[in-house]
Amino acid sequence: MRDYSADDIASISTPGLMVEALRSAFQADLVAPVRHHHRIEKSGEPDATLLLMPAWSGANQQSDSYAGVKLVTVVPGNSHRGVATINGVYVLNDGQTGEPVALFDGAMLTVLRTAAASALAADYLARSDARNLTMIGAGAMAPHLIAAHAAIRPIESVTIWNRNLSKAESLAEKLSGSTELRVEATGDLPAAIRSADLVSAATLSTEPLIFADDVQPGTHVDLVGAFSPDMRESEGRLLGLAEVYADTMAGVESEAGDVIQAVRENHLAFAEIKADLFDLARGHHPGRSPETDITVFKSVGAAIEDLAAAAAIHQRCLATAG
């Protein structure tokens, strides 16, 4: 059984590989039950979350079939311990025999496939000329979201906002030295949103950060961080005004705080969500139209994304090894 460390995964994977692996996965015969989502109570700090995410190739998939499961913990209090907030492992099994074939660092696999899902959605929903990206949040997801969006749209400038401005400045300085993008930090979030063609948010916020009055016509909004019903990154009115899309309908209806709270506030109905990644990837929905629409993509994570990413990395490694 192969063991893929975070460094191994990062060295093998590219945003393009991940986006196309996920596109193929949402077109394919894969099975992914709604993930098991458990709250772990903590004393003196925010509660933690334990996620169990299984997926497997369907009975009609004859080649390259796999099964896998991811175990992830999300511990917000780790930010004060100097420990990563998200930790986990992914086990990839042969789809025919059930034998384990690979073990992956779950945190790196998660950030790469999550960023790829957002970029895949943006490939259908963001304007083709989107050049200005505002990144809300400067945590582990942020650099991967920036790289993934830049891989599918002609992004030229990136503005990073974080509650802790120094953290945004540190990430901006790091990215400025490693990419050709113009990257800067800001303390003025409304102004950064108003100037953006594409807004991506990856935070653990429980209060709105993105307000409808700041989002300009034609903007695509990518909501990544709020993965439980009590979390949100946007106000409900924004979702009521926008064309809303999901990674998976089942996941968003049960876990997406932005959507659930917008529905509760009567700004949106679940039936008004236009499509999910299955519909977009399979051509059942055309995506953005017209150019002046505000589009919102809400992602909570889907187990088929992990399976697709792990399988793609494992297959590329086997092919490279000869």
Side-chain angles (χ1 to χ4, degrees):
M1 184 170 71
R2 293 178 180 262
D3 187 351
Y4 293 95
S5 68
D7 288 342
D8 293 333
I9 295 169
S11 68
I12 296 168
S13 174
T14 66
L17 174 67
M18 291 292 96
V19 169
E20 294 311 315
L22 266 61
R23 195 191 309 272
S24 295
F26 279 101
Q27 295 169 345
D29 178 27
L30 298 178
V31 180
V34 175
R35 64 189 178 188
H36 301 263
H37 191 288
H38 303 281
R39 183 184 299 275
I40 301 175
E41 293 185 0
K42 294 284 188 178
S43 177
E45 64 181 85
D47 291 344
T49 304
L50 172 66
L51 303 173
L52 302 173
M53 302 177 65
W56 55 89
S57 301
N60 296 324
Q61 187 165 333
Q62 301 300 317
S63 61
D64 295 330
S65 65
Y66 292 97
V69 63
K70 186 172 71 174
L71 185 156
V72 175
T73 57
V74 183
V75 185
N78 280 353
S79 61
H80 300 295
R81 302 183 180 96
V83 178
T85 299
I86 302 173
N87 291 281
V89 295
Y90 191 85
V91 180
L92 183 68
N93 302 276
D94 184 279
Q96 297 297 324
T97 68
E99 297 173 288
V101 296
L103 179 69
F104 293 80
D105 178 272
M108 179 58 74
L109 191 72
T110 298
V111 295
L112 291 177
R113 65 80 156 147
T114 302
S118 288
L120 176 61
D123 199 24
Y124 299 104
L125 303 176
R127 297 197 325 268
S128 60
D129 64 347
R131 287 177 167 79
N132 303 310
L133 168 65
T134 289
M135 183 70 237
I136 303 175
M141 278 301 314
H144 300 287
L145 283 163
I146 292 168
H149 283 305
I152 56 88
R153 284 296 181 266
I155 301 298
E156 296 174 352
S157 66
V158 179
T159 304
I160 303 173
W161 178 90
N162 194 71
R163 291 188 190 277
N164 183 338
L165 179 58
S166 65
K167 192 171 181 180
E169 290 172 336
S170 177
L171 179 58
E173 182 178 359
K174 179 179 179 181
L175 293 179
S176 294
S178 61
T179 74
E180 296 181 355
L181 301 171
R182 297 194 304 272
V183 187
E184 64 178 7
T186 185
D188 188 345
L189 180 56
I193 293 172
R194 288 193 295 269
S195 67
D197 302 314
L198 198 164
V199 178
S200 186
T203 73
L204 297 176
S205 180
T206 57
E207 299 293 336
L209 299 170
I210 306 170
F211 292 88
D213 289 344
D214 296 322
V215 180
Q216 301 302 300
T219 303
H220 174 59
V221 179
D222 171 39
L223 302 174
V224 177
F227 56 84
S228 66
D230 60 343
M231 301 169 72
R232 70 190 308 177
E233 297 176 307
S234 63
E235 69 162 332
R237 193 165 70 91
L238 172 62
L239 273 66
L241 295 172
E243 303 289 293
V244 180
Y245 298 80
D247 55 354
T248 66
M249 292 295 190
V252 163
E253 290 182 8
S254 63
E255 298 180 338
D258 289 278
V259 173
I260 291 169
Q261 294 184 57
V263 170
R264 188 180 300 149
E265 296 162 357
N266 295 317
H267 294 293
L268 179 73
F270 287 122
E272 293 176 315
I273 298 174
K274 299 300 180 183
D276 63 11
L277 284 178
F278 291 104
D279 299 318
L280 293 168
R282 294 172 181 178
H284 297 163
H285 191 285
R288 165 178 287 277
S289 179
E291 291 294 282
T292 54
D293 280 350
I294 295 172
T295 53
V296 171
F297 174 66
K298 180 63 199 121
S299 149
V300 293
I304 70 166
E305 298 166 6
D306 299 295
L307 180 65
I313 291 168
H314 184 58
Q315 289 172 355
R316 172 162 287 192
C317 182
L318 293 179
T320 302

